[in-house]
Amino acid sequence: MIIHMNSSIIRFVLGNVLKTEAALLLLPCLVALIYREQVGIWYLPVAAACFLLGCLMTIKKPANHVFYLKEGCITTALSWIFLSFFGCLPFYLTKEIPSLTDALFETISGFTTTGASILNDVEALSHCSLFWRSFTHWIGGMGVLVFLLAIVPLSGGSNINLMRAESPGPSVGKLVPKVRYTARFLYLIYLGLTIAEMVLLLFGRMPLFDAICTSVGTAGTGGFGIKNSSIAGYSPYIQWIVTIFMILFGINFNAYYLILFGQIKKALKMEEVRYYLLIIAASVAFIFFNILNLCANAFEALTQSAFQVASIITTTGFSTVDFNMWNESCKIVLVLLMFIGACAGSTGGGIKVSRFVILFKTVRKEFMSYIHPKSIKKIQMDEKPIEHEVVRTVNVYFITFFVLFVLSVFLISFDDTDLITGFTAVAATINNIGPGLEMVGPSANFAFFSPFAKYVLMFDMLAGRLELFPLLLLFHKSIWKDLFAYKKSVRSFKKLNS
């Protein structure tokens, strides 16, 4: 039996996404009201347009609420495209970013928690636009569809497919029996950590507006700063608070769930979390000893090395120093961290620690099969066997990732930039990091790229945040054939019943 794609549920979810964005667009309006900024008025018509279009798309409820992973992937990809397009309009309409391409680049970078910018002077933006720019990180960090699942009652047991399509990592499961409650738990943890960081930043005498924007940027592991110097102008105390919370937001949120319910030993036994923390400790130690002679004292060297390692491995992208000036070995370590990324089930980007753990265990298993051909050994993680399907998916992900990476580097090479700039620009966008090296280093930006190169990098940002496949599925012809076939079958069914 052929199961055609349920286009009505896709339309319904997209409509709810637009209504959610309409509500969120009112927050920068409130900021504009507080700071008496006239440019904030432009957020209202965009919010109204989102709400009206959302209402039109949801006025007719779908007869069938059940959807499969295919629908989940398509809905997720289209949701992020819709979010980004409407989210960029206020920047363009206020003329604070006069180019629509640049406004879209900045917004996609925000929602995907990349933090790559085209702005030469961040501080020239209004408070409402600065807030919206940072707040897009918080929306995209946990995922707008996870938020939607937490507040909008979608019937049917297949809602986990929406979460799987949007959540980072090789596999996603339910923490509690109902997906809606899982989404709520995730958002409560997310909100709790964000507020905790905000309070601690305020203790460090950071201004309230700065604390809000920095906290939401850290929570989403995005990295849009509201100062041209990013976090460098703040005190060491503030830098350490941001460092700690970047690391915390890069940990698998399942660990926090276990800790909250008293299963601390089980949380500490999570292999991915242990490897993640070990990689951070080793990288900080290596860079610390390499930059010790460049700093005034050991504490400054430790602060800089810990901050930048945390920022890069969690793909946040904040900076306190121009690491472009460090020696080659330090820069190589940072580039490797770009690819490794944070834990699955966190707000961080990159390939994810769990995928590398599975990859190395697969390689070790293959070595053992050469030595002991008749041995049968299953790969395990957290004392549980990993299904062959998961191993196969991880292998396919690595192949797809590097094919897309190489193709992207080739395409932006037409801008005639040097290899390090091109390589790290793609690495920084597809891994949702932000800064790269050379011309896209922490003291530079992406403004010099041609519109074509910017669209390639925008695609990479979306692909990286959505774990490649949901976005790539949009380019498969069978998806669109399936979509139209479903509409045709619905019309035929209505005719038979009339």
Side-chain angles (χ1 to χ4, degrees):
M1 184 178 70
I2 298 172
I3 300 173
H4 294 301
M5 190 181 298
N6 188 352
S7 62
S8 60
I9 190 66
I10 295 174
R11 167 189 52 77
F12 186 72
V13 174
L14 286 174
N16 278 302
V17 166
L18 286 176
K19 287 196 286 186
T20 303
E21 185 170 26
L24 295 171
L25 278 164
L26 297 178
L27 292 174
C29 295
L30 181 62
V31 174
L33 195 64
I34 293 168
Y35 287 94
R36 298 180 181 179
E37 294 171 334
Q38 292 183 355
V39 290
I41 197 72
W42 288 103
Y43 284 84
L44 286 173
V46 178
C50 286
F51 182 72
L52 288 172
L53 186 57
C55 286
L56 288 172
M57 294 173 76
T58 56
I59 197 166
K60 187 180 178 183
K61 292 185 178 181
N64 182 9
H65 279 74
V66 177
F67 48 91
Y68 298 93
L69 187 57
K70 179 170 59 177
E71 281 92 343
C73 288
I74 298 302
T75 304
T76 300
L78 291 175
S79 292
W80 284 71
I81 292 168
F82 274 49
L83 270 174
S84 301
F85 175 75
F86 285 99
C88 84
L89 292 179
F91 292 133
Y92 179 66
L93 294 172
T94 58
K95 301 299 179 185
E96 291 185 285
I97 303 179
S99 163
L100 185 60
T101 297
D102 285 349
L104 188 59
F105 184 97
E106 198 78 8
T107 308
I108 289 176
S109 181
F111 278 120
T112 58
T113 73
T114 303
S117 181
I118 48 80
L119 295 171
N120 293 311
D121 185 9
V122 173
E123 294 174 40
L125 292 180
S126 60
H127 286 87
C128 60
S129 291
L130 279 174
F131 171 80
W132 177 243
R133 183 172 172 264
S134 295
F135 192 61
T136 54
H137 285 330
W138 200 83
I139 299 166
M142 186 59 68
V144 70
L145 292 175
V146 176
F147 178 73
L148 197 65
L149 288 171
I151 60 170
V152 178
L154 292 174
S155 60
S158 58
N159 296 339
I160 188 67
N161 289 322
L162 269 182
M163 193 178 287
R164 280 178 180 153
E166 188 177 53
S167 300
S171 61
V172 175
K174 291 184 280 188
L175 302 177
V176 290
K178 290 189 177 181
V179 176
R180 192 177 182 188
Y181 294 141
T182 296
R184 284 179 179 176
F185 263 113
L186 289 172
Y187 255 97
L188 283 172
I189 295 167
Y190 189 47
L191 180 62
L193 285 171
T194 307
I195 293 170
E197 182 186 359
M198 198 183 304
V199 170
L200 289 170
L201 290 175
L202 290 172
F203 274 127
R205 296 185 178 180
M206 188 183 234
L208 178 61
F209 181 79
D210 296 31
I212 293 170
C213 291
T214 303
S215 297
V216 295
T218 308
T221 60
F224 273 155
I226 60 170
K227 304 288 184 185
N228 291 328
S229 59
S230 190
I231 308 295
Y234 296 107
S235 67
Y237 167 83
I238 286 172
Q239 291 177 19
W240 273 104
I241 291 298
V242 174
T243 300
I244 291 165
F245 275 90
M246 284 192 291
I247 294 169
L248 290 176
F249 281 108
I251 290 174
N252 192 321
F253 274 48
N254 285 357
Y256 297 129
Y257 175 81
L258 293 171
I259 291 167
L260 283 172
F261 285 88
Q263 300 180 52
I264 299 171
K265 285 185 179 179
K266 195 174 179 181
L268 294 173
K269 284 183 179 179
M270 290 178 71
E271 279 188 65
E272 184 185 26
V273 176
R274 293 208 309 270
Y275 281 117
Y276 166 73
L277 295 174
L278 183 64
I279 292 166
I280 289 173
S283 302
V284 170
F286 180 85
I287 292 175
F288 169 76
F289 287 111
N290 272 273
I291 66 168
L292 197 54
N293 62 326
L294 300 174
C295 301
N297 51 56
F299 179 73
E300 185 182 311
L302 183 62
T303 302
Q304 288 184 8
S305 57
F307 189 97
Q308 289 311 144
V309 166
S311 180
I312 296 299
I313 195 170
T314 62
T315 71
T316 306
F318 283 137
S319 62
T320 56
V321 65
D322 186 1
F323 51 78
N324 218 15
M325 306 303 293
W326 289 353
N327 63 38
E328 295 304 311
S329 58
C330 289
K331 287 190 278 188
I332 287 171
V333 168
L334 292 179
V335 170
L336 290 173
L337 293 178
M338 287 182 185
F339 287 96
I340 294 169
C343 297
S346 71
T347 62
I351 293 174
K352 305 295 179 302
V353 174
S354 58
R355 283 197 178 97
F356 279 99
V357 173
I358 292 169
L359 180 69
F360 286 128
K361 288 190 175 189
T362 305
V363 171
R364 187 174 64 183
K365 181 192 170 187
E366 290 302 313
F367 271 122
M368 291 303 294
S369 68
Y370 280 108
I371 299 167
H372 306 288
K374 293 183 179 180
S375 66
I376 299 172
K377 189 177 180 182
K378 272 217 163 196
I379 300 169
Q380 290 191 333
M381 183 177 278
D382 299 331
E383 300 177 352
K384 293 178 182 178
I386 299 172
E387 297 297 326
H388 175 72
E389 183 70 19
V390 175
V391 176
R392 185 188 64 81
T393 304
V394 167
N395 293 337
V396 171
Y397 180 90
F398 270 103
I399 294 166
T400 309
F401 179 93
F402 286 110
V403 167
L404 182 59
F405 184 89
V406 171
L407 181 62
S408 298
V409 172
F410 173 72
L411 289 174
I412 70 167
S413 69
F414 291 112
D415 271 25
D416 203 26
T417 54
D418 63 276
L419 181 60
I420 294 175
T421 297
F423 184 92
T424 58
V426 174
T429 49
I430 200 169
N431 291 310
N432 305 133
I433 292 158
L437 298 174
E438 298 298 339
M439 293 171 70
V440 289
S443 61
N445 58 50
F446 289 69
F448 66 89
F449 280 110
S450 67
F452 172 75
K454 284 174 183 173
Y455 279 104
V456 171
L457 296 174
M458 280 186 249
F459 181 87
D460 287 342
M461 287 189 274
L462 285 167
R465 174 58 184 85
L466 299 180
E467 304 279 296
L468 307 183
F469 299 110
L471 191 65
L472 293 175
L473 271 176
L474 289 180
F475 296 89
H476 201 287
K477 61 181 181 180
S478 67
I479 292 294
W480 299 103
K481 282 183 180 179
D482 208 10
L483 196 63
F484 292 125
Y486 175 81
K487 288 181 178 178
K488 190 176 179 181
S489 65
V490 169
R491 282 196 295 268
S492 300
F493 180 76
K494 284 179 178 178
K495 283 180 181 178
L496 286 170
N497 285 288
S498 60

